[in-house]
């Protein structure tokens, strides 16, 4: 199988604080991980692509200093939302892909609420 | 033009009918196409992938791809109420390998 685990599944934080979301590939090595954000009734918007051991590539309009991505190992990538504000409240989803393969597998998502 | 476009719906079909979902894409170099199903509050789950022109069938699902027309579709036969969800078309971009999603089509299957 190809299992991707995301943690936490839900988090509520106060405005101005930082939140870290973890994405782990449990039974395979993920050379590439993707981070998406989904607002209600909208589609998944790609935020950034991270390759193990190198800096993430951010999509246009995504602030790299606000959304810190680290992909330090072949099984773990983290997304840190720094100085979170209510408008950052969203559903954050990661996906992971093995080297040379086409399909990517999704984590279960993290519902972030900033109050 | 958006990179991946779908009719947002909602699409409503009676139980047992065929549901037809459509998607167009802009990148002519794209070679890999996917259909995902997403229930409310959940992460997307992969239903079908298709890489070659023509039809690909898997149970009640048939994906159709026409690269010349830059069009991919998903047919759901014998629709069930449990098929009610948002269906997302995704295209793997030729440049960079990013997976780009359409806005999704909300499907409602009425008993």
């Amino acid at each position: 199988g190809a299992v991707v685990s995301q943690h936490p599944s839900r988090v509520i934080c106060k405005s101005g604080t930082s939140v870290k979301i973890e994405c782990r590939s449990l039974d395979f090595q993920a050379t590439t991980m993707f981070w998406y954000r989904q607002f209600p009734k909208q589609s998944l918007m790609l935020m950034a692509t991270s390759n193990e051991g190198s800096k993430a590539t951010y999509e246009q309009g995504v602030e790299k200093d606000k959304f810190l991505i680290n992909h330090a190992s072949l099984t773990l990538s983290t997304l840190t939302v720094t100085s979170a504000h209510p408008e950052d409240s969203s559903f954050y989803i990661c996906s992971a892909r093995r080297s040379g393969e086409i399909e990517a597998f999704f984590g279960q998502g993290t519902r972030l609420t900033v109050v | 033009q958006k990179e991946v476009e779908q009719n947002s719906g909602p699409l409503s079909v009676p139980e047992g009918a065929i549901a037809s979902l459509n998607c167009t894409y802009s990148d002519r170099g794209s070679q890999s196409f996917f259909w995902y199903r997403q229930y409310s509050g959940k992460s997307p789950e992969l239903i079908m992938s298709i890489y070659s022109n023509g039809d690909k069938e898997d149970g009640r699902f048939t994906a159709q791809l026409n690269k010349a027309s830059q069009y991919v579709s998903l047919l759901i036969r014998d629709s069930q109420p449990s098929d009610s969800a948002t269906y997302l078309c995704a295209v793997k971009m030729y440049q960079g390998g990013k997976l780009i999603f359409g806005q999704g089509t909300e499907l409602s299957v009425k008993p």
Side-chain angles (χ1 to χ4, degrees):
Chain A
V3 180
V4 177
S5 176
Q6 217 174 310
H7 179 81
S9 57
R10 289 180 180 273
V11 59
I12 301 173
C13 71
K14 290 186 177 179
S15 186
T17 62
S18 296
V19 174
K20 180 184 282 190
I21 302 169
E22 292 187 347
C23 180
R24 293 182 184 272
S25 55
L26 298 186
D27 53 2
F28 68 99
Q29 292 187 325
T31 50
T32 306
M33 287 189 174
F34 304 90
W35 286 95
Y36 293 85
R37 179 169 54 184
Q38 186 177 35
F39 292 108
K41 299 292 186 183
Q42 295 187 26
S43 189
L44 280 73
M45 298 301 296
L46 181 65
M47 299 175 67
T49 302
S50 73
N51 291 294
E52 185 266 338
S54 59
K55 287 185 178 181
T57 302
Y58 289 81
E59 294 299 301
Q60 193 172 10
V62 178
E63 300 174 59
K64 62 180 181 181
D65 294 330
K66 180 170 181 64
F67 299 99
L68 301 178
I69 292 172
N70 184 284
H71 192 167
S73 78
L74 285 171
T75 59
L76 174 64
S77 177
T78 60
L79 167 67
T80 302
V81 183
T82 62
S83 187
H85 290 284
E87 57 265 30
D88 297 324
S89 299
S90 188
F91 192 45
Y92 291 86
I93 310 172
C94 73
S95 70
R97 189 171 71 195
R98 290 186 185 95
S99 175
E101 294 199 358
I102 296 173
E103 288 188 28
F105 302 93
F106 282 85
Q108 62 269 52
T110 297
R111 175 75 58 193
L112 170 63
T113 303
V114 185
V115 297
Chain B
Q1 181 188 5
K2 291 183 180 177
E3 292 173 298
V4 182
E5 290 203 65
Q6 295 178 251
N7 292 327
S8 60
L11 173 66
S12 183
V13 300
E15 184 175 357
I18 296 175
S20 177
L21 305 159
N22 304 314
C23 173
T24 58
Y25 60 95
S26 61
D27 182 3
R28 280 199 168 274
S30 296
Q31 300 292 322
S32 307
F33 308 88
F34 307 88
W35 282 99
Y36 288 84
R37 177 174 60 197
Q38 187 178 28
Y39 293 110
S40 181
K42 302 293 186 184
S43 192
E45 55 178 320
L46 181 66
I47 300 174
M48 295 278 286
S49 59
I50 186 166
Y51 311 113
S52 304
N53 278 329
D55 295 0
K56 179 181 178 183
E57 188 173 318
D58 183 359
R60 295 185 296 112
F61 300 96
T62 299
Q64 299 173 316
L65 174 61
N66 184 326
K67 291 183 182 178
S69 300
Q70 295 172 244
Y71 174 91
V72 58
S73 66
L74 179 71
L75 299 177
I76 307 175
R77 289 181 300 282
D78 189 23
S79 296
Q80 301 296 310
S82 58
D83 294 327
S84 297
T86 296
Y87 288 80
L88 299 164
C89 171
V91 178
K92 184 170 177 283
M93 295 289 117
Y94 180 73
Q95 294 289 342
K98 299 183 294 186
L99 193 63
I100 304 297
F101 285 81
Q103 65 268 43
T105 298
E106 185 181 347
L107 173 66
S108 177
V109 181
K110 305 292 187 185

